[in-house]
Amino acid sequence: MNLSVMWSAVPTLLAGVPVTLQLVGLALLFGFVLASGVAWMRLSASRVLSAIAGAYVFVFRGTPLLVQIFLIYYGLGQFQAVRASIFWEILREPYWCGILALTLNTAAYTSEMIRGGIQSVPHGQIEAARACGFSRFLVFRRIVAPIAVRQALPAYGNEVILMVKASSLASTITLLEITGIARRIISQTFAVFEVFIVAGAIYLLINFLITRLIRYAEWRVTPHLRRPA
């Protein structure tokens, strides 16, 4: 165990944390917006919309994220129509291809969490709100959304943690986030064990902070947890 290599690798690996957080943050933001639309399509009365959303969820949940990253980064560039389109300026960059792949992947999972959270709302509470004269928007804002958030938040917290770990796959398309920098250091020092221990510790610290934030959010949105014993 070469402690000097581990210590010298710490600042270099920490330089990749902003890129990792950018990948995860933007993917979760865009993914949540997309997931909301997909969940609405899944819950709609239209069989066509529901089938399209169901097919999207099935494909992106049923295939490996690494394959999705490769298909987006290496595959789309093979089509002349893509290279001639206005989207090529984005799709030619590994940074945005990584974000796109992570976005499409997390949106598929998050849409099912949103759908499950909405469907878990007791129908009696919705009927009671309508009997009190609440509009559809008010029913959603005051009844459906708070309960759905409480139900989906633990699962969504797991998804956030999984996205942090999945961001390491972006190193396969030349992105220098934590894992990408670790692989570069290993190619120079051949200290595989030491460098990956430091990289794993950084991921562990990030996920520890995320679990604290998710637990605090659960405490805030769950009234009975805030009541004194």
Side-chain angles (χ1 to χ4, degrees), residues 68-148:
Q68 297 166 17
I69 293 175
F70 283 167
L71 287 176
I72 291 174
Y73 183 64
Y74 297 109
L76 293 180
Q78 298 180 6
F79 298 98
Q80 178 60 32
V82 176
R83 295 197 300 270
S85 67
I86 60 175
F87 301 106
W88 181 238
E89 292 298 324
I90 296 176
L91 295 176
R92 68 189 297 179
E93 298 293 335
Y95 178 79
W96 292 108
C97 286
I99 290 177
L100 178 60
L102 292 173
T103 296
L104 294 175
N105 184 270
T106 189
Y109 288 93
T110 305
S111 65
E112 290 298 283
M113 299 174 196
I114 295 175
R115 183 175 69 92
I118 292 175
Q119 290 181 331
S120 68
V121 178
H123 189 68
Q125 295 190 21
I126 298 176
E127 291 296 325
R130 290 176 178 172
C132 293
F134 284 22
S135 64
R136 295 177 65 90
F137 175 75
L138 195 58
V139 169
F140 180 81
R141 185 172 69 88
R142 300 292 298 273
I143 305 298
V144 177
I147 297 177

Side-chain angles (χ1 to χ4, degrees), residues 113-184:
M113 299 174 196
I114 295 175
R115 183 175 69 92
I118 292 175
Q119 290 181 331
S120 68
V121 178
H123 189 68
Q125 295 190 21
I126 298 176
E127 291 296 325
R130 290 176 178 172
C132 293
F134 284 22
S135 64
R136 295 177 65 90
F137 175 75
L138 195 58
V139 169
F140 180 81
R141 185 172 69 88
R142 300 292 298 273
I143 305 298
V144 177
I147 297 177
V149 168
R150 285 198 294 268
Q151 296 294 333
L153 189 57
Y156 187 69
N158 290 334
E159 174 64 15
V160 174
I161 293 173
L162 290 174
M163 286 300 297
V164 172
K165 295 187 290 186
S167 67
S168 62
L169 296 176
S171 64
T172 59
I173 54 174
T174 71
L175 278 178
L176 291 178
E177 38 71 65
I178 297 174
T179 303
I181 294 177
R183 293 172 64 179
R184 187 178 66 177

Side-chain angles (χ1 to χ4, degrees), residues 164-209:
V164 172
K165 295 187 290 186
S167 67
S168 62
L169 296 176
S171 64
T172 59
I173 54 174
T174 71
L175 278 178
L176 291 178
E177 38 71 65
I178 297 174
T179 303
I181 294 177
R183 293 172 64 179
R184 187 178 66 177
I185 296 175
I186 289 171
S187 67
Q188 298 170 351
T189 63
F190 301 101
V192 179
F193 195 67
E194 292 88 343
V195 174
F196 273 141
I197 284 180
V198 178
I202 294 175
Y203 281 113
L204 188 63
L205 177 60
I206 293 174
N207 285 328
F208 172 78
L209 296 176

